[in-house]
Amino acid sequence: MAVDFLLHEKIWFEKFKYDDAERRYYEQMNGPVSSSSQQQENGASTILRDIARARENIQKSLAGSTSTTSSGPAGDQNELISRISHLEVENQNLRSVVADLQLAIFKLESRLNTLEKSTSHQPASIPPTQKVEPFSVPSKKVELPSASIAKKVEPTAAEDDEDDDIDLFGSDDEEEDQEAAKVREERLRQYAEKKAKKPGLIAKSSILLDVKPWDDETDMTKMEECVRSIHMDGLVWGASKLVPVGYGIKKLQIQCVVEDDKVGTDILEEEITKFEDYVQSVDIAAFNKI
């Protein structure tokens, strides 16, 4: 299309030839020109030649682009058709695979249903390798009265009507029940004694205190001695250090471990603030359960 457009345009591609002919004509009429003018004309002619060559290259490139554009859509269309056919084949293969999987799942579900039905109808049987032994004392504690009565009645059902009211095994069962109750009471008593002797867990906490002085002239060593002089049941003092606050003032940061049931943070703060000559205030910097 670009070449067709250029054909209809009035472009002078060979203008340099006409320029040369015109120059020669005027040279013949006016005589020979100077060397400087000849050099200028030669330079102009070379520029015109370069321009003409550039135009020819542009035309060739445009012609090549038109040929490629004319062949491009057809190639793209063929490629799309091939890809679409390939995707259709893959889709058919996937559908067949999905159908096979659905069939296999249906077969498995039907087999499971049949197995569940067969196991639900069959009674639970004891494996031949398993040994069933009667329990001694604990089994008798679990038995219900109705079961014991049924066991008593079964051996007497085959006897005569005269012996129906006679319970031959009643005394033995009563003695065994009493022995089982005694064993149970003894075990409960031993468990209670063992639980009473076992010490309970003691809840402890780790506290980091910030003890602030009145000013920079406060004796921090004396203040720490006063704080550590506090003794309570369940209180243990730990490490300490001086932390700068500003303007030359430092605060005492001391750690302690307390038992929660015996020592509280309120009581600890009250005891420390009693040293009014050294302590201005007490803050809890950190509180962790141990």
Side-chain angles (χ1 to χ4, degrees), residues 181-214:
K182 289 179 181 179
V183 170
R184 184 173 64 254
E185 290 176 358
E186 182 66 23
R187 290 181 179 175
L188 290 172
R189 186 180 60 78
Q190 291 177 0
Y191 176 74
E193 291 177 356
K194 186 177 180 181
K195 190 175 181 181
K197 291 178 182 179
K198 186 177 180 181
L201 294 175
I202 299 172
K204 293 183 180 181
S205 301
S206 176
I207 305 172
L208 185 64
L209 299 172
D210 285 343
V211 185
K212 298 177 182 178
W214 287 103

Side-chain angles (χ1 to χ4, degrees), residues 153-160 164:
V153 172
E154 286 177 357
T156 58
E159 297 179 357
D160 296 331
D164 288 339

Side-chain angles (χ1 to χ4, degrees), residues 156-169:
T156 58
E159 297 179 357
D160 296 331
D161 296 335
E162 297 177 357
D163 299 332
D164 288 339
D165 298 332
I166 300 173
D167 190 3
L168 300 175
F169 304 100

Side-chain angles (χ1 to χ4, degrees), residues 211 218-231 235 237-238 240-242 252-254 271-272 275 278-279:
V211 185
T218 305
D219 190 357
M220 301 302 292
T221 305
K222 185 66 177 175
M223 186 174 72
E224 184 178 356
E225 290 177 358
C226 294
V227 172
R228 289 185 181 276
S229 64
I230 299 171
H231 296 287
L235 172 64
W237 293 106
S240 64
K241 64 179 180 178
L242 296 177
L252 175 66
Q253 200 169 66
I254 187 167
E271 292 294 328
I272 294 172
F275 302 101
Y278 302 99
V279 179

